[in-house]
Amino acid sequence: MLNLIILIFVGGAFGAMCREFVMLSIPRLADGFPMDIFVANIVAAFLLGVATSLFKSNRINQYVHVMIGTGIMGGLSTFSSFVFGAVEMMQDPGSVFVSICYLVISLVIGFAAVEHPRVFQSRNQKSPGIAVSRSSR
């Protein structure tokens, strides 16, 4: 149990540093759309989907999955920042529409980002490649 807590702690610290890098690297759009938060959350959702697919196919073990999924992705993406970005935009009555678009787009693309690696992985498992032998003439 202590090992899992340490892995989550280390992963969370790394994820938080990655988040800060994203926040400093990606500017907000002119209409107030929080592109930095959006990118961090979508990247985290996608990587969480990849980590979960790898775990379910036994390519990574439980410890790596917990460090990546709970630790790193938990540090990279936070629900509080997601909501804060929307509330911050709603302070300006002219930005309410952009805020609603941000919420909907984040949820839809976030869902797709998590599901895409899982669906892709399950399709690859169901249809293994067919070995083709070359016959000599």
Side-chain angles (χ1 to χ4, degrees):
M1 178 67 167
L2 183 60
N3 291 342
L4 289 176
I5 293 170
I6 291 170
L7 288 172
I8 292 168
F9 175 77
V10 171
F14 181 74
M17 289 187 295
C18 291
R19 179 178 194 77
E20 186 62 21
F21 176 74
V22 169
M23 300 295 274
L24 294 173
S25 301
I26 299 174
R28 287 183 174 240
L29 298 182
D31 60 2
F33 188 89
M35 185 59 78
D36 49 355
I37 297 170
F38 178 76
V39 168
N41 289 338
I42 299 304
V43 167
F46 177 75
L47 293 176
L48 181 59
V50 170
T52 301
S53 294
L54 292 173
F55 176 68
K56 287 186 175 187
S57 65
N58 295 320
R59 292 184 180 167
I60 61 174
N61 65 33
Q62 172 193 5
Y63 296 104
V64 174
H65 184 249
V66 166
M67 185 177 85
I68 292 171
T70 304
I72 297 173
M73 296 313 117
L76 179 59
S77 120
T78 62
F79 185 73
S80 58
S81 292
F82 168 67
V83 173
F84 178 77
V87 169
E88 191 176 64
M89 281 189 292
M90 286 184 184
Q91 299 300 319
D92 175 24
S95 296
V96 171
F97 178 73
V98 174
S99 178
I100 292 170
C101 288
Y102 163 68
L103 291 170
V104 171
I105 290 169
S106 293
L107 291 173
V108 170
I109 294 178
F111 177 78
V114 167
E115 279 298 305
H116 177 70
R118 295 176 63 220
V119 169
F120 181 75
Q121 189 262 339
S122 68
R123 284 186 185 162
N124 284 343
Q125 281 185 344
K126 289 179 184 173
S127 58
I130 299 171
V132 178
S133 63
R134 295 183 186 189
S135 57
S136 56
R137 295 185 185 184

